[in-house]
Amino acid sequence: MSEVMTCMPFEQLMNWVLEEKKTKGTVFGQHRAYAAETDRKLNIFERNLETPIGPAAGPHTQLTQNIVASYYAGARFFELKTVQKMDGAELAACINRPCILADDEGYNCEWSTELYVPQAMGEYIKAWFILHVIAKEFDLGAQDGFQFNISVGYDLAGIKEPKVNTFIDSMMEAKDTEIFKECKQWLLDNVDKFEKVTKEDIEAIPSDICNSATISTLHGCPPNEIESIANHLFKEKHLNTFIKCNPTLLGYEFARKTMDDMGYDYMVFGDFHFKDDLQYEDAIPMFKRLQALADELNLAFGVKITNTFPVDVTRNELPSEEMYMSGKSLFPLSISLAARLSREFDGKLRIAYSGGADYYNIDRIVGCGVWPVTVATTLLKPGGYQRFTQMAEKVMADGVKEWKGIDVAALIAGGRDSNDFAAQRPNQGAVLSLRVYHDYVVVCAKDQRRQLLLCRHGLAGAGYTEEKAVAVEEISPVTDNQIVGDSIDAVVNTAFVLDLLGLERHENGGALGSQAAHGIHPLEAIGEHGIEAVLLLIFEGRDLTASPLPY
């Protein structure tokens, strides 16, 4: 795979999307489309939002394809990959490869977009057009049901440089950019390719793409520099502005004890960044000043919780001396900081969240009034963008309340309970083999004491082979495309599974038996019924209600 990302022309992308959908029923490999209920819109920054979730600024918001795949699966809030004055080849030369590891918790040693800033802008604008078109063409939701949020860094001088300044201005109003004109004209010239999208729909695609920004700063950025960037975005650009905060605001002792208690005692970090980063006693008065300024300007102010967490490379995880931790191990730190700031501001400080959010906790985060929520590490696991479908369905099942503040008590309780979340602890299991047991497909864990049973009526789990098999009471039928549990470890094909059920010596048994997890491939839909992949899961350290299997 090339280390250099290549931007594709809008025409090629649009034809790809239409042809793949027509011939395969997928979009950039995503099998399940999330269709939003257009009468259940949320509102933030005085714009509509169909779901309060999306990809964080990172590997999933660099190219147009990333953004389109996320939207198709259920994302509606897009925190675009950070841009700064260093870009393209200059930036790429500073990044060691590989730069991301997500075997369990996540680590990375990469920064902002590796595209040149004008290229990044082009990718975002191409995605803006495609999302507006497929929203109607594929019945995915309203054409105004999603939002783009730009992420800029890392200092005021860099943000004021022509390259980044032009990016900000163009994302706020894109009608005069060449890429905006090109996309619009291609759609008008090829309107006959669409069944539902009309010329009027294309003409109505708005050119004011972004009205919000997230400030991303490097570790060690002084408080006056952070505040000066926010003042610039408020006063000069009139953008709703969030400041991305670091977990180091919690203090070294809290972070060290939390990681140790959660089982991440192998993570090595000193107190340097805790002393060098923004201090809590400086942050609070700054946030209060910025909130007052935002109120005066009739704009929104908030914080993004949190940035990644710097730790030392001690086990050759990545080719670097320091790396940035993310994912489930970041959750107890991020949710604790969110709770602490919410208590400080009596729930009136708006918080956007990104720090170990995933299927297992995202509904509780949103339920506290903390949204939008963006994710990255969970998308690097099996299932990829399709995990947005699970998260969106779970979050929107009962709807999301209009934001009137954060439920401080619930958020504080969530922070205290984070140490008890089995899904946030290091993964100790691995799938080694699959076999048929009566009417069930059994997935055995590496210690041969714990196993999963997949049956016709749902997901079963956590049994002991030396005693008796037990089935967990779940409501996740095999015929669903995905089954939800605490730790996704392997992907197998549902068509094989359905063939195997009840047929202990089926001809396809060898396709699943005695394979290591890395040898089980996420096959595409096969067979005349086009049954898609199903995720098999291992539960880690969680109490489960069990009942005996029928024999």
Side-chain angles (χ1 to χ4, degrees):
M1 179 183 295
S2 172
E3 292 182 357
V4 179
M5 289 179 290
T6 302
C7 300
M8 299 171 62
F10 181 75
E11 177 181 11
Q12 184 178 1
L13 289 165
M14 200 67 250
N15 283 329
W16 185 340
V17 169
L18 294 174
E19 182 64 19
E20 183 183 340
K21 180 65 173 176
K22 180 180 179 180
T23 60
K24 297 182 179 180
T26 61
V27 171
F28 291 129
Q30 307 312 303
H31 290 259
R32 292 186 64 196
Y34 177 82
E37 297 182 39
T38 56
D39 60 342
R40 301 179 73 177
K41 293 179 183 176
L42 309 171
N43 187 282
I44 185 172
F45 309 137
E46 298 186 354
R47 294 186 177 188
N48 291 327
L49 194 64
E50 290 173 332
T51 73
I53 65 173
H60 302 98
T61 54
Q62 288 201 96
L63 295 175
T64 299
Q65 301 96 302
N66 303 139
I67 298 170
V68 174
S70 297
Y71 174 83
Y72 189 78
R76 294 296 185 269
F77 187 87
F78 301 87
E79 186 185 74
L80 304 175
K81 181 73 169 176
T82 306
V83 301
Q84 57 139 328
K85 62 183 179 182
M86 184 189 295
D87 60 355
E90 181 185 7
L91 179 72
C94 300
I95 299 175
N96 297 322
R97 314 286 179 172
C99 60
I100 297 177
L101 177 69
D103 288 346
D104 195 9
E105 67 270 18
Y107 300 106
N108 76 81
C109 56
E110 53 101 33
W111 304 347
S112 50
T113 182
E114 294 177 44
L115 299 173
Y116 290 97
V117 171
Q119 287 181 313
M121 182 188 75
E123 292 300 291
Y124 305 153
I125 293 176
K126 285 183 283 187
W128 180 255
F129 273 95
I130 294 176
L131 266 53
H132 275 87
V133 167
I134 66 175
K136 183 172 184 179
E137 186 70 10
F138 300 157
D139 294 319
L140 302 178
Q143 292 177 291
D144 66 346
F146 59 90
Q147 293 191 34
F148 283 8
N149 169 268
I150 57 173
S151 177
V152 295
Y154 288 112
D155 57 29
L156 182 59
I159 288 172
K160 284 186 172 182
E161 283 197 5
K163 178 166 48 180
V164 179
N165 185 65
T166 299
F167 168 83
I168 295 172
D169 290 345
S170 297
M171 291 299 290
M172 292 176 63
E173 179 49 73
K175 69 177 186 299
D176 293 328
T177 64
E178 290 304 314
I179 187 62
F180 189 93
K181 296 175 183 177
E182 176 190 329
C183 295
K184 185 174 182 178
Q185 192 59 53
W186 188 91
L187 291 173
L188 290 172
D189 292 344
N190 292 272
V191 69
D192 59 328
K193 292 178 180 285
F194 303 98
E195 296 180 2
K196 300 177 182 178
V197 174
T198 65
K199 179 181 178 181
E200 289 72 25
D201 292 325
I202 298 167
E203 293 284 5
I205 294 176
S207 57
D208 54 339
I209 296 174
C210 284
N211 70 346
S212 66
T214 298
I215 298 172
S216 181
T217 59
L218 295 174
H219 287 279
C221 185
N224 62 325
E225 181 73 10
I226 298 172
E227 189 167 5
S228 68
I229 299 172
N231 281 325
H232 174 72
L233 295 178
F234 277 139
K235 295 178 180 179
E236 303 301 324
K237 301 301 182 183
H238 302 284
L239 283 168
N240 301 291
T241 301
F242 279 29
I243 293 176
K244 188 181 292 185
C245 296
N246 294 324
T248 50
L249 281 171
L250 292 166
Y252 173 79
E253 289 76 13
F254 181 93
R256 182 70 271 170
K257 184 178 187 303
T258 301
M259 291 295 95
D260 291 347
D261 291 346
M262 289 289 291
Y264 297 101
D265 53 341
Y266 52 83
M267 284 187 187
V268 178
F269 53 89
D271 62 0
F272 171 77
H273 288 296
F274 293 89
K275 295 178 179 179
D276 195 48
D277 284 359
L278 176 67
Q279 301 297 298
Y280 191 83
E281 57 269 23
D282 295 324
I284 300 306
M286 178 177 69
F287 293 162
K288 290 180 178 179
R289 290 191 297 271
L290 291 172
Q291 183 66 72
L293 175 61
D295 293 343
E296 179 185 332
L297 298 173
N298 197 30
L299 293 168
F301 169 72
V303 293
K304 174 71 179 291
I305 305 294
T306 64
N307 203 348
T308 49
F309 183 68
V311 298
D312 296 340
V313 174
T314 59
R315 298 171 292 150
N316 297 315
E317 297 96 337
L318 292 173
S320 178
E321 294 182 358
E322 186 176 66
M323 57 188 178
Y324 300 100
M325 177 266 283
S326 65
K328 65 184 186 180
S329 53
L330 185 59
F331 175 75
L333 299 180
S334 297
I335 203 70
S336 295
L337 181 57
R340 186 174 180 184
L341 289 175
S342 293
R343 181 173 54 192
E344 189 80 48
F345 285 84
D346 196 27
K348 295 180 175 62
L349 177 67
R350 187 103 201 203
I351 294 177
Y353 188 89
S354 181
D358 58 20
Y359 175 87
Y360 312 107
N361 55 36
I362 197 167
D363 56 330
R364 285 174 285 177
I365 296 170
V366 172
C368 292
V370 176
W371 58 271
V373 178
T374 55
V375 300
T377 304
T378 191
L379 303 180
L380 298 171
K381 307 290 187 177
Y385 297 105
Q386 206 70 76
R387 290 182 173 220
F388 275 128
T389 312
Q390 294 176 303
M391 290 186 282
E393 290 173 348
K394 189 175 187 182
V395 167
M396 299 304 295
D398 298 319
V400 177
K401 297 178 181 177
E402 176 187 356
W403 195 85
K404 295 183 178 179
I406 290 172
D407 186 337
V408 180
L411 190 56
I412 291 174
R416 289 172 180 164
D417 291 344
S418 66
N419 287 351
D420 296 328
F421 291 164
Q424 312 306 328
R425 296 182 181 276
N427 186 9
Q428 302 298 327
V431 173
L432 291 184
S433 64
L434 298 164
R435 61 185 175 86
V436 177
Y437 181 83
H438 293 276
D439 282 347
Y440 301 86
V441 175
V442 181
V443 185
C444 296
K446 69 178 180 181
D447 59 11
Q448 295 301 304
R449 290 183 298 114
R450 206 178 308 174
Q451 61 186 8
L452 284 179
L453 305 175
L454 187 64
C455 64
R456 287 190 177 90
H457 302 293
L459 177 67
Y464 294 90
T465 54
E466 65 269 23
E467 297 177 3
K468 65 178 181 179
V470 293
V472 178
E473 297 174 353
E474 286 282 339
I475 309 175
S476 297
V478 173
T479 50
D480 280 359
N481 290 338
Q482 295 183 324
I483 294 176
V484 176
D486 271 358
S487 181
I488 298 178
D489 287 282
V491 181
V492 298
N493 194 278
T494 314
F496 282 139
V497 172
L498 292 180
D499 283 342
L500 284 164
L501 291 178
L503 299 173
E504 191 167 356
R505 298 186 180 277
H506 190 274
E507 60 182 358
N508 288 328
L512 296 180
S514 301
Q515 294 193 45
H518 58 75
I520 303 173
H521 301 292
L523 304 176
E524 294 185 1
I526 65 170
E528 59 179 342
H529 301 296
I531 302 172
E532 296 178 15
V534 62
L535 303 179
L536 296 183
L537 315 160
I538 285 182
F539 286 82
E540 295 290 349
R542 182 177 176 183
D543 292 332
L544 300 170
T545 303
S547 58
L549 281 173
Y551 289 101

